[in-house]
Amino acid sequence: MSLRKKFNIAKNYLLNRFKACEFAITNACIAKCDFCDIWKQQPKVFVDKKKAELVINRLADFGVGHLTFTGGEPLLHPAVIDFVKLATKRSMHNAVLDAAPSLLMRGDILSKLEDSGCDLLSISFDSGDPATMEKSRKIPHIMDQMAEAMVKIKKTRIKAMASVLIWNNNYYHLEDVCKNAVNMGYDFISLNYPTFSKSQVYPLGGEAINFTKEDVIHGLEQGIKLHREGKYHIINSDISMQNIINYLRDPATVKYPCHGGRHVLFVDWFFDVRPCMQLPCVMGNMLTMKEKDFRREPCNDCNMSWYRDFSTLFQGFRSLPILFESLSKSGGIL
Ligand code: SF4
């Protein structure tokens, strides 16, 4: 990450106005994942380039220091490179999500992403087993494509993160999945906690994540152990994973509530701003909202990883150990 981006994050964090945002720039997707229904949505929407650029500028003005481009499949948007370039120009650390690695092999997209200042590619990685990956994402030869893409990514400055959902196929052998991801060349691993969402824009669920709380806890306990051993560069902090275990056992015992709508945000392809991908409520539209509109009481209604993990960084003195750990163990990814 460039010094300029680091400075921007530090400045906004110290001013207590730092925000991390997921911006979904399309609902079109190539994958047909077992645990997500976005690919079924009609009509397919791609954000208008000019309006999206206005949104990115406004997000930067309002203290967003980390911006994740998501979808659907953000790499299907014809202007994704321009969006990354603008995020970099506005000193925002940025990541692009990807579920279909073949998209990273198109022409010179990787060098364009690198030149635009893309910091991180976050690629879905559910299993080290090719047949399981093909079945869960419904993309033939996905592992071969991923291995090929990874060789190319390693020649750039972009970091690669395996985005591992804990699901009923891997919660009992998470270390194998992590080992496979690292062997393939991933720099980091993020663990995603299974959750059901009835959100109209972001429906999540399905049989693949329909397993018991105790099994999810078993997966998280392995995640904590692997993180402590430090072998696989897992970016989720112990404290955040323990926080989720507490939530699953008894929500009243949670020490780190979620700051969805205040420090973490979701902007959909209509530019509507929601506290997260889980809640159906719309806080306003990013084209018209003011910074003072990003106010919301802390929430404890679900265990969605990205929002809950980031939120542990905004809890006063209690966040200090997490902050130091994130900075030292993740090589500054946050
Ligand atoms: S706890 Fe869940 S529902 Fe509440 S704001 Fe955070 S992510 Fe959204």
Side-chain angles (χ1 to χ4, degrees), residues 104-115:
L104 293 166
M105 306 297 292
R106 286 179 313 168
D108 55 355
I109 187 147
L110 270 174
S111 57
K112 282 184 176 161
L113 282 168
E114 181 183 25
D115 293 345

Side-chain angles (χ1 to χ4, degrees), residues 258-261 264 275-279 296 299-304 307-308 311:
C258 181
H259 284 301
V264 279
C276 57
M277 291 173 173
Q278 186 87 14
L279 294 174
R296 214 169 169 275
C299 178
N300 192 33
D301 284 356
C302 84
N303 60 280
M304 191 171 266
Y307 297 86
R308 301 294 314 229
S311 291

Side-chain angles (χ1 to χ4, degrees), residues 1-65:
M1 194 196 327
S2 70
L3 260 181
R4 211 159 46 85
K5 290 182 183 178
K6 283 182 186 169
F7 177 77
N8 187 43
I9 289 175
K11 181 190 75 181
N12 283 314
Y13 188 80
L14 292 172
L15 292 172
N16 195 29
R17 65 192 288 262
F18 178 89
K19 298 171 190 65
C21 175
E22 288 200 295
F23 183 13
I25 57 177
T26 179
N27 60 357
C29 202
I30 290 179
K32 295 181 174 62
C33 304
D34 284 347
F35 21 75
C36 169
D37 284 342
I38 288 181
W39 56 273
K40 294 179 186 167
Q41 289 184 6
Q42 293 294 346
K44 298 298 177 202
V45 183
F46 291 83
V47 289
D48 174 79
K49 180 170 180 276
K50 286 236 154 7
K51 286 183 183 164
E53 286 176 341
L54 186 57
V55 161
I56 294 168
N57 273 319
R58 289 174 66 84
L59 288 169
D61 292 343
F62 295 166
V64 170

Side-chain angles (χ1 to χ4, degrees), residues 79-237:
V80 64
I81 299 292
D82 299 298
F83 299 156
V84 170
K85 212 178 276 178
L86 180 57
T88 294
K89 188 175 164 205
R90 295 302 313 269
S91 303
M92 290 189 274
H93 178 263
N94 60 77
V96 177
L97 262 54
D98 172 50
S102 62
L103 293 172
L104 293 166
M105 306 297 292
R106 286 179 313 168
D108 55 355
I109 187 147
L110 270 174
S111 57
K112 282 184 176 161
L113 282 168
E114 181 183 25
D115 293 345
S116 318
C118 174
D119 295 290
L120 185 69
L121 281 165
S122 175
I123 302 172
S124 307
F125 192 95
D126 315 314
S127 163
D129 174 46
T132 306
M133 272 296 284
E134 286 191 22
K135 193 165 171 281
S136 72
R137 300 274 163 183
K138 312 281 187 310
I139 299 179
H141 313 297
I142 186 170
M143 287 302 254
D144 292 340
Q145 293 161 0
M146 194 184 289
E148 217 178 311
M150 195 57 68
V151 171
K152 286 195 162 190
I153 295 170
K154 298 306 277 181
K155 292 181 182 156
T156 70
R157 288 184 300 274
I158 306 170
K159 300 289 183 197
M161 182 165 77
S163 179
V164 176
L165 173 71
I166 299 175
W167 61 304
N168 62 17
N169 175 275
N170 69 11
Y171 70 90
Y172 50 90
H173 66 116
L174 219 44
E175 179 157 15
D176 290 346
V177 183
C178 295
K179 209 180 280 176
N180 280 310
V182 168
N183 287 344
M184 195 177 268
Y186 282 98
D187 300 289
F188 305 106
I189 291 171
S190 72
L191 297 177
N192 300 321
Y193 322 135
T195 185
F196 285 79
S197 157
K198 291 199 171 58
S199 160
Q200 290 206 330
V201 289
Y202 225 93
L204 298 169
E207 268 312 297
I209 59 165
N210 197 8
F211 55 122
T212 68
K213 271 185 196 177
E214 280 313 313
D215 290 340
V216 180
I217 289 169
H218 181 69
L220 285 164
E221 284 172 344
Q222 282 181 71
I224 291 175
K225 178 175 163 286
L226 296 173
H227 180 262
R228 285 191 181 146
E229 289 170 1
K231 283 195 272 186
Y232 303 109
H233 292 156
I234 292 173
I235 63 159
N236 316 59
S237 71

Side-chain angles (χ1 to χ4, degrees), residues 257-298:
C258 181
H259 284 301
R262 183 168 181 200
H263 289 295
V264 279
L265 311 168
F266 175 61
V267 180
D268 69 22
W269 34 80
F270 303 115
F271 311 118
D272 285 337
V273 179
R274 297 162 197 270
C276 57
M277 291 173 173
Q278 186 87 14
L279 294 174
C281 58
V282 174
M283 297 168 65
N285 192 277
M286 201 53 221
L287 294 168
T288 51
M289 281 175 85
K290 306 267 186 299
E291 188 170 356
K292 66 177 173 47
D293 299 330
F294 295 91
R295 292 275 173 268
R296 214 169 169 275
E297 288 301 309

